[in-house]
Amino acid sequence: MTSTLSQGALIAAALRLGAPTISGWSAREAALARAAATTIDARTARRLRERIWGGEDPLGEAFSALRAPELRRPLGATYTPPVIVDAMLEWSRAHIAPERVVDPGTGSGRFLLRAAPVFPRAMLIGVEIDPLAAIIGRANLAAAGLVRRSHIALCDYRDFPSCDVAQAPGIARASARTRTLFIGNPPYVRHHLIETRWKDWLVRGWRSLGIRASRLAGLHVHFFLATLLAARPGDAGAFLTAAEWLDVNYGSALRAAFLGKLGGMGVVTLEPRACAFADAATTSAITLFRIGERASQIRFRRLKRIAGGMSLTYGARHAQDVRVSRHVLEREPRWSKLSAARPQSRTAATGNRMRSADLARQGDLVQLGELCRVHRGQATGANEVWIAGEEARDLPASVLIPTVTRARELISAGRVLGSLESLRRVVDLPRDLSDLEASQRPPVEAFLKAARRRGADRSYLARHRHAWWSVQLRAPAPILATYMARRPPVFTRNVAGARHLNIAHGLYPRVELSEAQLMGLVDYLSTRVRVEDGRTYAGGLTKFEPREMERLLVPRPDALSA
Ligand SMILES: C[S@@+](CC[C@H](N)C(=O)[O-])C[C@H]1O[C@@H](n2cnc3c(N)ncnc32)[C@H](O)[C@@H]1O
């Protein structure tokens, strides 16, 4: 019934439910109320009140039905499903006991209404720019019996708290000690619809915090800034926004603030399929923060669907959590990839020897680059010469080095390369040929004469080497990996000590890793890395550059040896 109310009837219902009794009633709302020129009967009002008591939002639904998505878009008015509101409140309760709850962009007041029983002593402050939404929010708060605790400021949140103080000197103003929870769903509005003066405000505001910002940021980034400017150490917050700030250039200011003053603690992303919003198909992110916090690890979680009773707090039952250390995030320009790491077990399907369930529970991942440096193997400049063939048959064994020269050698070796026997040899001569014994010189001279004849001294690489004849293979890498194929890379523990050409990457530990840890790493990478983690080229080839491979997430060494 209510979902088909006219604007006049909607305002009439809100008035009947007591909207003007909520502090902050403004001249603009009063003017709208006068223009409504209609009333609703007592029975309808009673039924509405009962539904609001029952946790429904009939006025908010009527508002959304009245204004089509295209009309709501300029103000980003999409109301939040109650399960998400409840989960965000549950997280908040575990992190703050607030005296004020502030909902930036209050809409119909879903956050404030549900916060009321969770924080029974807190003031409930809404900030809303749209007078019709503000009237509805007030009606809901009044119908729920929250008149004495509530205040709605009809103003732009970027003017908060000055507009708030101006409208309600006593009720809403925070003293230096007032502990505030900022919670809500800041509007999603792209920069094209944002006025120049606010873009100037954005750049100035971030600059005052020592952060460079882009003018192209969406409105939710403005809301984060307004929150930062109003908040004090010890305040906490949970904001639901579009997830794009995690990755895009204009999100860099917010990413910097997240690791700085905002005190970011976690990010939960909701995939579009999670259907966070009935009329918006986008990945959303819930950003969890406590001002002044400096978490050494940030928790990421990715939810594919939302369900009643879902929780954002972190406990043993959340196997899908990924903890990423602060300094990884400081280096990493794109964060959503990190939340996509899959500590979930695929063990049964792959026969992984790791105790993956334990790892998953631990959820304690770091970038591979923290444990190992990844180097592409050496390029020779002329494989037909330097991979030993007929002309190398008289060379001394000391310069014929068993080397992985084809990706398929690693593929057929599988998880362990235990022998050098099947590998081809690469001719790796010393830079200074006088290091060779006298008896070794003649066959080497003969080989080099033949190599010169075949142009091996004129290749680009040969001309840029210290000595054109010295390929200079890298030291044996404890783990080798293929990096370009139509399949995920193969990771192989290089027990045999083979060298590798540039058809493979070598993983060289930066920290001491035991044999069990090296094998644990190979097992983990072998079962978790997917084709999608790399870069896919036309024709379906997937490639992992060394730095990309270093960004793969792996368990910490202590978990690897478990
Ligand atoms: C995504 S809705 C969220 C509504 C409500 N908090 C909820 O979660 O159900 C965003 C709200 O912000 C309001 N809004 C948009 N721009 C605003 C601004 N600059 N200042 C304050 N509120 C604004 C919109 O009118 C809308 O009600």
Side-chain angles (χ1 to χ4, degrees):
M1 166 278 300
T2 45
S3 62
T4 54
L5 288 181
S6 67
Q7 177 164 320
L10 185 56
I11 295 173
L15 294 175
R16 182 102 198 204
L17 292 172
T21 61
I22 299 293
S23 147
W25 180 251
S26 64
R28 284 175 66 207
E29 290 161 275
L32 255 188
R34 279 195 300 279
T38 180
T39 53
I40 60 158
D41 59 56
R43 209 168 124 251
T44 309
R46 196 178 57 246
R47 287 227 304 268
L48 284 172
R49 200 172 277 116
E50 281 165 7
R51 289 182 63 190
I52 294 166
W53 288 342
E56 291 182 54
D57 182 14
L59 300 184
E61 283 164 19
F63 172 90
S64 302
L66 193 65
R67 289 203 191 154
E70 315 79 78
L71 296 177
R72 281 183 279 123
R73 206 159 288 140
L75 286 181
T78 308
Y79 294 168
T80 311
V83 291
I84 298 185
V85 176
D86 289 345
M88 289 165 69
L89 283 167
E90 187 214 4
W91 180 89
S92 305
R93 189 169 50 180
H95 292 86
I96 186 172
E99 289 144 277
R100 300 195 313 167
V101 176
V102 172
D103 176 358
T106 319
S108 62
R110 292 185 178 189
F111 279 93
L112 295 182
L113 258 87
R114 298 179 97 87
V118 179
F119 303 113
R121 302 168 74 87
M123 283 298 306
L124 308 168
I125 316 292
V127 186
E128 175 56 60
I129 204 167
D130 176 351
L132 180 57
I135 291 177
I136 291 167
R138 290 179 198 282
N140 274 333
L141 290 164
L146 297 166
V147 175
R148 293 163 70 98
R149 296 170 58 191
S150 309
H151 170 76
I152 291 185
L154 181 71
C155 70
D156 193 309
Y157 182 60
R158 290 165 291 190
D159 280 332
F160 183 81
S162 51
C163 63
D164 174 42
V165 173
Q167 290 188 32
I171 198 168
R173 184 168 39 198
S175 80
R177 291 188 313 278
T178 309
R179 207 143 259 198
T180 304
L181 167 67
F182 295 88
I183 188 165
N185 175 357
Y188 179 60
V189 177
R190 287 179 192 279
H191 79 96
H192 314 91
L193 295 173
I194 297 176
E195 294 164 60
T196 308
R197 72 181 174 110
W198 284 119
K199 293 185 177 187
D200 296 342
W201 169 87
L202 183 80
V203 173
R204 268 198 321 274
W206 283 117
R207 198 185 302 132
S208 73
L209 300 173
I211 295 175
R212 271 169 59 101
S214 156
R215 300 166 66 82
L216 306 185
L219 192 54
H220 58 293
V221 177
H222 292 228
F223 270 49
F224 270 105
L225 173 62
T227 303
L228 268 169
L229 295 175
R232 297 177 174 79
D235 290 348
F239 281 167
L240 171 63
T241 65
E244 55 195 42
W245 71 267
L246 296 170
D247 295 327
V248 297
N249 287 348
Y250 79 67
S252 67
L254 185 46
R255 293 194 293 274
F258 182 94
L259 295 174
K261 190 180 172 205
L262 190 67
M265 298 176 74
V267 179
V268 176
T269 48
L270 307 169
E271 289 188 4
R273 271 173 296 162
C275 238
F277 302 103
D279 52 11
T282 178
T283 301
S284 357
I286 299 172
T287 306
L288 305 165
F289 56 93
R290 192 159 56 193
I291 307 293
E293 188 83 24
R294 215 183 139 74
S296 59
Q297 293 188 327
I298 308 301
R299 311 206 187 214
F300 286 85
R301 186 182 303 168
R302 194 179 187 104
L303 295 181
K304 286 201 164 53
R305 57 192 179 84
I306 55 173
M310 78 175 210
S311 171
L312 304 181
T313 48
Y314 298 92
R317 69 200 160 96
H318 290 296
Q320 68 272 54
D321 289 347
V322 176
R323 280 188 255 164
V324 184
S325 59
R326 154 181 299 279
H327 62 276
V328 169
L329 292 173
E330 279 161 359
R331 288 200 310 258
E332 180 59 52
R334 299 218 168 85
W335 288 7
S336 64
K337 221 174 149 185
L338 305 172
S339 68
R342 301 154 311 121
Q344 212 71 305
S345 169
R346 287 204 289 161
T347 325
T350 57
N352 185 359
R353 292 196 274 137
M354 299 277 313
R355 290 197 285 138
S356 298
D358 293 345
L359 282 177
R361 214 168 294 124
Q362 195 149 337
D364 204 358
L365 302 183
V366 296
Q367 288 193 332
L368 175 61
E370 282 194 50
L371 306 187
C372 297
R373 203 181 286 277
V374 177
H375 284 300
R376 196 192 305 282
Q378 190 59 283
T380 66
N383 282 357
E384 65 287 2
V385 173
W386 302 110
I387 296 178
E390 198 38 38
E391 277 153 357
R393 68 175 181 275
D394 297 327
L395 289 176
S398 61
V399 303
L400 294 173
I401 313 295
T403 303
V404 173
T405 58
R406 295 181 277 227
R408 65 169 183 268
E409 290 160 357
L410 293 179
I411 295 169
S412 64
R415 302 264 171 100
V416 179
L417 179 66
S419 155
L420 300 172
E421 234 162 78
S422 61
L423 299 179
R424 298 191 289 178
R425 303 315 196 227
V426 167
V427 179
D428 196 12
L429 295 164
R431 254 195 239 177
D432 185 350
L433 293 175
S434 64
D435 287 350
L436 294 168
E437 288 168 24
S439 62
Q440 294 175 334
R441 294 291 292 271
V444 167
E445 300 285 339
F447 173 80
L448 291 181
K449 202 166 155 201
R452 235 188 248 107
R453 258 200 323 270
R454 297 174 72 185
D457 58 338
R458 294 189 299 278
S459 74
Y460 176 85
L461 281 178
R463 283 186 284 118
H464 289 84
R465 288 201 280 255
H466 288 288
W468 70 264
W469 56 82
S470 185
V471 170
Q472 297 281 294
L473 290 170
R474 288 186 185 285
I479 297 174
L480 293 169
T482 62
Y483 65 87
M484 190 149 176
R486 283 185 173 73
R487 43 163 297 158
V490 167
F491 293 88
T492 303
R493 170 77 182 98
N494 181 15
V495 175
R499 313 298 182 94
H500 63 292
L501 289 191
N502 57 342
I503 48 75
H505 290 336
L507 278 56
Y508 296 88
R510 294 176 190 271
V511 294
E512 206 172 310
L513 295 177
S514 67
E515 187 53 43
Q517 287 167 331
L518 286 170
M519 252 347 277
L521 196 54
V522 167
D523 285 341
Y524 188 88
L525 289 165
S526 301
T527 51
R528 307 308 172 87
V529 179
R530 300 170 299 181
V531 168
E532 306 91 84
D533 295 329
R535 253 190 246 179
T536 305
Y537 291 82
L541 263 190
T542 299
K543 188 171 178 188
F544 286 78
E545 294 296 344
R547 296 292 85 77
E548 284 164 347
M549 198 169 265
E550 284 185 0
R551 282 202 285 270
L552 293 171
L553 290 173
V554 297
R556 293 185 167 283
D558 45 344
L560 282 170
S561 51

